[in-house]
Every structure is written in structure tokens, then in C-alpha cells.
Amino acid sequence: MAVDILIGTQWGDEGKGKLIDVLTKDVDMVVRYQGGNNAGHTVEIGDERYVLHLVPSGIFRPEVKCVIGNGVVVDPVALDEEMAKLRERGVDTSNVELSDRAQLIFTYHRMADALNEQGAVRKIGTTGRGIGPAYTDKMRRCGIRAITLTKPDQLAEKFRAEAEKYNKLFRFYGAPEMDIEAELVKVLEAAEHLAKLVANSVYTINNAIRAGKKVLFEGAQGGLLDIDHGTYPFVTSSNTISGGACTGAGIPPQSVRDVWGVIKAYTTRVGEGPFPTELFDAMGEKLRQRGREFGATTGRPRRCGWFDAVASGYSCMVSGVNKLAVTKLDVLDDCDEVALCTGYEINGKVTTEFPAEASDLEIAKPVYEFLPGWKCDLSNVRKYDDLPDAAKKYLARLAELVHSEIAIISVGPRRDQTFLV
Ligand code: GDP
Ligand code: IMO
Ligand code: MG
């Protein structure tokens, strides 16, 4: 039995898509278990670059079954389009399955997302994909689930009823209303295409586990965006930590073997919220340019800074990360020195614990440890022994600080720019 979970350990965009694609070489099934099309997972194969939002990153290996689990919030129109675009590029999408229990996102959720942001005293800087409102409807127990895609009459009835409620809300706030019938046409068309993908996926996944198949769970976002453990309220609306796989796919905790933590060799964040090691100087700009740090979903420039072992250490702890996949080490290639944040000074006191309050994080001054840079090109390195000593020391200290072990190193976006340790 080999059931592994792969998660992002920071504020997302750590390179999860690339790692999933690499790891699926030996996997039978890949399962998304939370988030929605707020995710943008990049996979580069040869000269081709794909950005996946809802389709699991195992899709490029035709023998791999790709399941969108019950914990995912799915915009049916967006999923239908994403799959059609993949097919246009010659990718076989016949192995995608959608859990009947997954909650659906509609245009009214996206409109509510925008309205919440407009009205907020402090914006979250969401991706605008309707994620928060869709999870809110799930918890309010008035969401519409993927099973309803197979029943067009019920879908139309439920959609109209929910959309009416939202339009009332929009009217109340003086915001434009949604054209319910025009949207319904798009939804029904997507439903017609997607209905055949809908299945009782909890059985698909558990049967595979019982049959001894290799199943890999693909986390979206990152531990520091988790609704409970992230920098609340500047978080997404799901449990992004490894535990989210149990609820978001319906698997028992004891079935899990390894938890892979994808960890960028520095830190980035998109959207608002505290970021203690953010750099506003030329070094921050250098990381952004060298790392091509622009959002895969929204194109927004990502905020960049040094590696934060306090924040990432907390995230690795709550997810039980026992295998680290360090990505983007090559981005640090021409730094004279590299820094790791080992503690925060908050109101004159130094702590190594990650605080719950965003306001504490906002005033936290990072305590840095500086190490010499390696000043050479790592993008062609293919084994650990060939890394320069300075890079090995940086990696060793990083792993020590987050109490985990490095299993994979990535030195470029392509599949081949990856090696085991
Ligand atoms: P995800 O959301 O975690 O899947 O990450 P994204 O795809 O949003 O962002 C990661 C970006 O870094 C993508 O453009 C990847 O192609 C790229 N990438 C992944 N690993 C590496 C690496 O080791 N080095 C470099 N330079 N780029 C990488
Ligand atoms: P992947 O899977 C980076 C951020 C948004 C915003 C906050 C809430 O590609 O790593 P939401 O739309 O989820 O309500 O936005 O979360 N965010 C991400 N940041 N990578 C992501 O996904 C993200 N998904 C959401 O920028 O700050
Ligand atoms: Mg991303």
C-alpha cells in the first residue's frame, strides 16, 4: 500500500504541479482534495507549458486515473473549458473522474467574491474565483453538489432558487444582478459534458487503496493559506494541510504513508496578508525576475522574500511532512549570501513559534541567519553530490530548521531538472 499526500508548505506556488508530474511516473491515481480553480499548477514537458486549475497534475500520463475529490469546489463551466483546452493540445482527458459529493461554483459565487472584496475594510486579495462563497454555501448547507450535474431538471430548479437569493443580495448592495437564464444555459451545457465524469469517488479511491494501488493526493495552495492554520483572515477557505486529504477525499488517516512537503528555497505570497520576510529592495525584485514569480492563475506579481523557517516549520509540523521537495534552488544561484529566518522579534521578544494573530505577524521582525551563496549555475546539476558545498549547507540548515528531511531537489521547471537525495 502506498498512499502519499503532497502539499505546499508555504503560501502556495511552491512547484506542486511540477512535483506531482514527476512523482506520477510510478503512481496509479492522483486525487485533488480541496480548493478549486484558485489553484494554478504549472507542468513543463519539453517545450510545452501547461497550467492546471482543476484537473489533477497526473493528467499527462494517460495510465494515471485523475480524481477530483469531494472536498474540491468545482466551477463546472471552468472545468469543461479546461478539459476541452487540454484535448485541443492533444492531452487525453478520458481518465478524469469527478466526485458526486464535490460542491459546485457558479457565477453568483464569483460575483459575491468580488462584492466581498469591494466592501472589505481590508481586502484578502482573493483570486476572484468564488472559492470563499462556494465553501460558505457548503457550510450553510445550501450548496449544489456535482451529483446534480447528472439531473438537469433538478440542477435548473436548484440553480434558479439559489441564484434568486444571490440576486436579492446583490440588489440590497446596489450591485449588478446576474442574468439567471443566460447563466443557466452555460451551466446546463457544461453539465451535459461533465455528467459522465461524475462518480461515487470515495469508493474509487478506497478500492484503489485496498487493491494496493499507488495513490498520490495533490494539495492545492499551501499550509500558510489553510483556513485554520494559515494567516487568518488572509487565507483561502479550505484545509490545505495534509489532514484535508482525509476529509476532502474520504480516506482513513492510517492509510497514509508519506507526506511530501513542497518547499520553495525562498518565500513568495500572492494577495494580501502578513509576510515577515518580504523584501522590498533589489533582492526582492531579483527573486521575482529570476524565479518568474507571476501568478499562474491571475498573472499578479508575487511578493518575494527570504526563506521563513518559523512559518514553514509550523506548516511542516501540522502536516507531518517527512519528505521535503525543495524547489527553485537555482533561483538563488547568483546571491552573494542567502538568508534563513529562524525567529521573529515581536514587541522586543524573540520567538520561534508561529503566532495565530495576523497583527503580530505584521509587526514581527525576522531574525536572520546568513550563509554564503554558491554563485554558480545549478540548473544542470542532476545529483546531490554535484551540488556545491555552500548549497548543501543551505539545504541542510533549511531541513534542520523545519524538522524534516530532504528527499527531492528541483533546479528548474522541467521534469528532468529534478533529482532524488
Ligand atoms: P504550484 O501552484 O505549486 O504548482 O506552483 P506554480 O506552478 O504556481 O508556480 C511554480 C513556478 O515555478 C512554475 O512556473 C514552475 O514552472 C516553476 N518551477 C517549478 N520548479 C522550479 C524550479 O526548481 N526552478 C525554477 N526556476 N522554476 C521552477
Ligand atoms: P496554488 O495551488 C497562491 C491566495 C489568494 C489570496 C488567498 C485567498 O497554485 O498554490 P481565494 O481565491 O482562495 O479565496 O484567495 O489565497 N491563493 C493562492 N496563492 N497559490 C494558490 O494556489 C492560491 N490559491 C489561493 O491569492 O491571497
Ligand atoms: Mg500556483
Side-chain angles (χ1 to χ4, degrees), residues 92-231:
D92 178 2
T93 61
S94 58
N95 250 341
V96 176
E97 180 175 309
L98 171 60
S99 168
D100 48 7
R101 291 173 169 82
Q103 295 279 331
L104 299 178
I105 301 187
F106 299 107
T107 298
Y108 53 74
H109 291 123
R110 286 203 308 279
M111 290 169 72
D113 195 352
L115 195 65
N116 285 341
E117 287 282 84
Q118 277 161 26
V121 179
R122 252 197 91 179
K123 293 185 197 329
I124 292 169
T126 72
T127 58
R129 298 297 187 267
I131 305 296
Y135 276 118
T136 303
D137 276 358
K138 171 180 174 173
M139 293 309 181
R140 287 168 59 220
R141 292 156 292 181
C142 56
I144 304 176
R145 306 209 284 182
I147 184 76
T148 314
L149 293 173
T150 64
K151 303 169 188 171
D153 292 345
Q154 273 191 29
L155 179 60
E157 191 187 325
K158 287 185 179 175
F159 179 85
R160 285 195 181 102
E162 283 307 308
E164 280 294 351
K165 284 201 258 171
Y166 272 93
N167 268 352
K168 252 190 219 158
L169 192 79
F170 299 149
R171 263 200 299 281
F172 178 80
Y173 285 105
E177 291 176 42
M178 191 183 85
D179 181 340
I180 297 176
E181 295 308 314
E183 288 300 324
L184 182 58
V185 171
K186 293 185 216 162
V187 169
L188 288 172
E189 193 188 324
E192 201 184 317
H193 300 158
L194 297 178
K196 58 183 177 296
L197 315 183
V198 177
N200 198 342
S201 303
V202 175
Y203 284 101
T204 311
I205 299 164
N206 281 286
N207 288 342
I209 294 174
R210 286 174 181 165
K213 303 257 191 223
K214 292 185 182 161
V215 184
L216 181 59
F217 290 85
E218 175 176 3
Q221 290 80 53
L224 304 175
L225 286 170
D226 182 275
I227 185 77
D228 288 283
H229 294 284
T231 47

Side-chain angles (χ1 to χ4, degrees), residues 18 328-330 378-379 410-418:
K18 174 193 158 156
K328 303 196 113 169
L329 192 60
D330 55 297
L378 297 187
S379 63
S410 167
V411 290
R414 293 196 317 268
R415 270 180 181 172
D416 63 296
Q417 293 175 303
T418 322

Side-chain angles (χ1 to χ4, degrees), residues 243-258:
C246 291
T247 52
I251 57 154
Q254 70 271 33
S255 64
V256 181
R257 181 186 65 176
D258 291 322

